[in-house]
Amino acid sequence: MRTETIARNYAETVFELGERSGNVERYAELLDAVAAAVEQTPRVQAVLMSPRVPKSEKARLLGEALRDVPREFVLFLQALVKRGRQQLLREIATEYMNLLDQKLDRVRAGVTLAKSPDDKLKRTIQESLSRQLGKEVIPAFTVDPEILGGAIVRVGERVLDGSLRRRMTKLRRQLVK
């Protein structure tokens, strides 16, 4: 089975647990935090990924580290470790966020601008995209001075390139004809 499929299956399982307990959004935060801890903390990564540390010990350590977390969530992580799937934590967190976005009828958009936007521009872009798409939009802003001006918006597979660089390239092609 492909890792995306496996991650999706685990995400669906923990999502269902979250729905039953009313902790869907909390589980999203927890999954992201655990995945980030594994990615960014060498000691945590070394323990969880090491074949030398027994799976039962990894599960025990997770239980101790996550005492204030809902029990079902900890049991899910322990089952993940016992099956040797802890390396999929980031993919599971991503798939979980996709499920949560579907449930809450929202989409994520990547917005590239030539310079850093202020809060007012961020709000204006978010509101405009939400109106156009008919869903709540959660934008992630990046800066690329090479686009010169305008914006490039990515929503799922769609890319809307309204950059000045693209317009200039298009104009150049028309003039060369």
Side-chain angles (χ1 to χ4, degrees):
M1 233 190 286
R2 293 179 35 199
T3 57
E4 296 89 17
T5 305
I6 295 167
R8 177 73 176 206
N9 289 339
Y10 278 104
E12 287 172 351
T13 300
V14 74
F15 191 82
E16 188 177 318
L17 290 172
E19 281 187 314
R20 279 192 221 153
S21 65
N23 288 319
V24 178
E25 293 187 55
R26 173 93 167 110
Y27 283 15
E29 295 168 5
L30 291 169
L31 267 174
D32 188 54
V34 171
V38 171
E39 292 169 343
Q40 298 170 5
T41 312
R43 289 183 69 199
V44 172
Q45 189 176 50
V47 169
L48 283 181
M49 301 304 170
S50 174
R52 292 182 180 174
V53 178
K55 291 177 182 178
S56 59
E57 181 63 13
K58 294 175 189 179
R60 187 189 66 74
L61 290 170
L62 276 172
E64 283 183 16
L66 301 171
R67 282 192 188 121
D68 300 332
V69 171
R71 180 165 163 68
E72 316 79 52
F73 185 81
V74 174
L75 291 172
F76 168 79
L77 289 177
Q78 289 173 330
L80 194 70
V81 166
K82 287 179 181 175
R83 288 175 179 81
R85 302 290 192 182
Q86 63 273 18
Q87 74 278 5
L88 296 176
L89 271 167
R90 175 51 60 204
E91 290 86 354
I92 294 168
T94 300
E95 291 294 335
Y96 188 96
M97 287 306 296
N98 292 338
L99 292 169
L100 184 59
D101 288 344
Q102 282 178 328
K103 178 181 174 63
L104 299 177
D105 196 32
R106 63 186 187 193
V107 295
R108 295 183 184 273
V111 180
T112 304
L113 302 169
K115 62 180 186 173
S116 292
D118 60 10
D119 289 339
K120 183 179 177 186
L121 180 59
K122 286 181 180 180
R123 211 171 23 262
T124 302
I125 290 171
Q126 179 184 16
E127 290 169 0
S128 176
L129 287 172
S130 293
R131 240 185 348 271
Q132 290 175 359
L133 297 173
K135 294 183 176 194
E136 178 188 355
V137 174
I138 301 171
F141 292 93
T142 57
V143 176
D144 181 0
E146 291 187 17
I147 70 168
L148 304 175
I152 300 172
V153 178
R154 289 176 178 83
V155 179
E157 302 271 326
R158 295 188 301 179
V159 177
L160 307 165
D161 190 343
S163 68
L164 185 57
R165 178 179 63 189
R166 186 191 65 76
R167 288 186 220 156
M168 290 175 62
T169 302
K170 186 177 176 182
L171 180 61
R172 183 180 313 124
R173 287 183 188 141
Q174 289 174 348
L175 292 173
V176 171
K177 285 183 181 179

